Amino acid sequence: MPDIVIAFFALGLLAGWVKSDLKVPQSIYETLSILLMLTLGVKGGMALHGHSASINLGALALIASLGVLTPLALYPLLTQVIKLKQADAISIAAHYGSVSAGTFAVVIAMADHLGWQLAPETTLYLVLLELPAIIIMLWLHRWLLARAANDRKQGDSKQYKDTAQISNGSIWHEALTSRGVVLLLGGVIIGWAYGPQGLADITPVLLGGFKTLLALFLLEMGLSTAKVCRPLPWQHWRLMLFAAIAPFVLSWLGIGVGLLLGLPAGSILVLATLSASGSYIAAPAAIKAAIPEANIGLAMLAALGITFPINVLIGLPLYHSWIQALIHG
C-alpha cells in the first residue's frame, strides 16, 4: 500500500472530479502551508545540528547548478517542439527548473516511511533548487527583450526598459523573501541553532503532527488539481504530453547527480523527485509579476494539474524502484 498521505490526495482528486462541495477554507490552507514549510525547515535544521562541519559545499553547488541548467535546456524544447510562445516557454521552463515544495514534503515522508537515510543537508536541496531557475529565466526574458528592441530600433526599447526595471528591482526580492523561502530558511536556522533538546517543548506538536499537516495539505492539492484540469484544454496537447513525460526524464538528472556525489539512498530519492517536479507556488508568483504576458494558467495546468499527481501517484514508487535497483542491484 502507498503511504497514507497519498490516499488523502486521491480523496481530494476524486471529490474535485465529481464536483463535490468539499473544500478547504483558504485561511486553513494558508495555515497548513505555513506550518508545513516551517516544520520541514525545522526538521532539516535539527538534522544539521552538530553536523555543520560535514556539509559538502561543492556538492551543494553542483545540486544548485541543476536549477540553472535544467530550464536553459528546456527552453528550446518548449519553443521549437512544444510550440509555445516565447513568454510561455520561459514561464514553463522556470516552473520546471524550479521545484515543488508540496512534492518535497511527500518524498520526505516517503523516505522516513522507507527508513532510507537522508544526508543532514537534504532540506537545503529545496531552497537551492527553487530559486536559480526563476532568476535565470527572468534574466533570459530581459535579454531577449533587449535583443528584440535593438533589432527593431523602435518602441520596444521602452518595453524593455520597463521590464528591466521590474526585473532589477524585484526578481531577487521576490525570490529571497517569498513565504516559502523565509519559512524554510528560518526553520533551518532555528532547528540548527537549538537542536533536538532546545526544541523539545514544541517537537510533539510541530514534528509529531507532520503527517497530519501533510495529509490535509494533500487533500487541498487534490481538490486544486481537479479544478485546474476541468475541462482539459486539448488544444495544448503538446504541453500536456510534455508535463506527463518530463518527470520521468528529469528524475534521472537527480539520480545521476545523487549517485555521482555518493549521497545516501534517501537523499537520492529526494533529489530525483525534486528534479522531476514543477513549481506551483514560488514560480507562479514571480513569473506573474515580471512577465505579465505569460499565461500562468498553462503553467499551473502542467505543473500542478499533470506533473504533481503523476509524481505523487506514479513517479515516487517508480523512482524508489530505480534507485533501489541501482544501489542494491
Side-chain angles (χ1 to χ4, degrees):
M1 291 288 288
D3 195 287
I4 183 61
V5 295
I6 306 301
F8 283 82
F9 175 78
L11 174 62
L13 191 63
L14 176 62
W17 273 111
V18 300
K19 301 183 180 180
S20 166
D21 61 356
L22 173 65
K23 65 178 181 179
V24 176
Q26 184 64 24
S27 59
I28 300 297
Y29 169 73
E30 294 286 341
T31 302
L32 286 171
S33 62
I34 288 172
L35 289 174
L36 193 59
M37 291 299 99
L38 185 59
T39 302
L40 286 169
V42 169
K43 282 169 63 75
M46 289 174 64
L48 283 173
H49 184 75
H51 296 89
S52 303
S54 64
I55 295 176
N56 186 335
L57 295 180
L60 292 180
L62 179 59
I63 290 170
S65 70
L66 287 175
V68 175
L69 299 176
T70 300
L72 291 176
L74 290 177
Y75 176 72
L77 172 70
L78 291 165
T79 54
Q80 298 172 24
V81 179
I82 310 301
K83 306 295 184 183
L84 292 177
K85 297 177 182 177
Q86 178 180 299
D88 289 332
I90 287 175
S91 171
I92 299 296
H95 282 75
Y96 278 82
S98 185
V99 294
S100 162
T103 310
F104 177 75
V106 177
V107 72
I108 287 290
M110 181 177 180
D112 287 342
H113 177 73
L114 293 171
W116 277 17
Q117 182 186 355
L118 295 168
E121 67 273 15
T122 302
T123 298
L124 297 179
Y125 298 171
L126 178 61
V127 179
L128 291 171
L129 289 170
E130 188 173 45
L131 304 181
I134 298 171
I135 293 168
I136 195 66
M137 295 313 291
L138 293 184
W139 277 101
L140 176 63
H141 177 64
R142 283 188 62 218
W143 182 80
L144 291 172
L145 282 180
R147 188 177 67 173
N150 184 60
D151 289 344
R152 288 191 290 266
K153 303 287 186 183
Q154 51 188 15
D156 288 341
S157 58
K158 181 181 184 301
Q159 181 188 6
Y160 162 66
K161 289 177 182 177
D162 292 342
T163 305
Q165 185 178 4
I166 291 172
S167 298
N168 284 324
S170 65
I171 292 176
W172 284 99
H173 183 269
E174 282 284 340
L176 297 176
T177 63
S178 65
R179 179 178 62 185
V181 172
V182 168
L183 288 170
L184 279 168
L185 285 180
V188 167
I189 293 170
I190 290 170
W192 168 76
Y194 284 85
Q197 186 173 354
L199 291 166
D201 290 341
I202 66 170
T203 297
V205 176
L206 194 62
L207 302 187
F210 173 71
K211 275 212 168 183
T212 301
L213 292 174
L214 181 56
L216 294 174
F217 179 82
L218 287 177
L219 177 67
E220 167 60 19
M221 286 295 96
L223 292 166
S224 297
T225 298
K227 183 177 180 181
V228 169
C229 291
R230 193 178 63 239
L232 284 174
W234 292 110
Q235 69 272 26
H236 296 295
W237 64 270
R238 289 188 181 88
L239 177 61
M240 292 191 290
L241 187 62
F242 164 83
I245 295 174
F248 305 109
V249 177
L250 295 176
S251 65
W252 280 102
L253 294 176
I255 292 173
V257 170
L259 292 174
L260 177 66
L261 295 174
L263 298 177
S267 294
I268 297 176
L269 179 62
V270 171
L271 190 55
T273 306
L274 285 176
S275 299
S277 70
S279 173
Y280 52 80
I281 298 175
I287 296 296
K288 187 175 182 179
I291 313 179
E293 65 270 29
N295 186 342
I296 297 299
L298 289 180
M300 294 298 287
L301 168 68
L304 177 60
I306 300 175
T307 296
F308 181 78
I310 282 179
N311 271 325
V312 170
L313 299 174
I314 302 171
L316 278 167
L318 194 57
Y319 311 149
H320 162 247
S321 65
W322 289 345
I323 294 167
Q324 191 171 41
L326 288 169
I327 293 178
H328 301 295

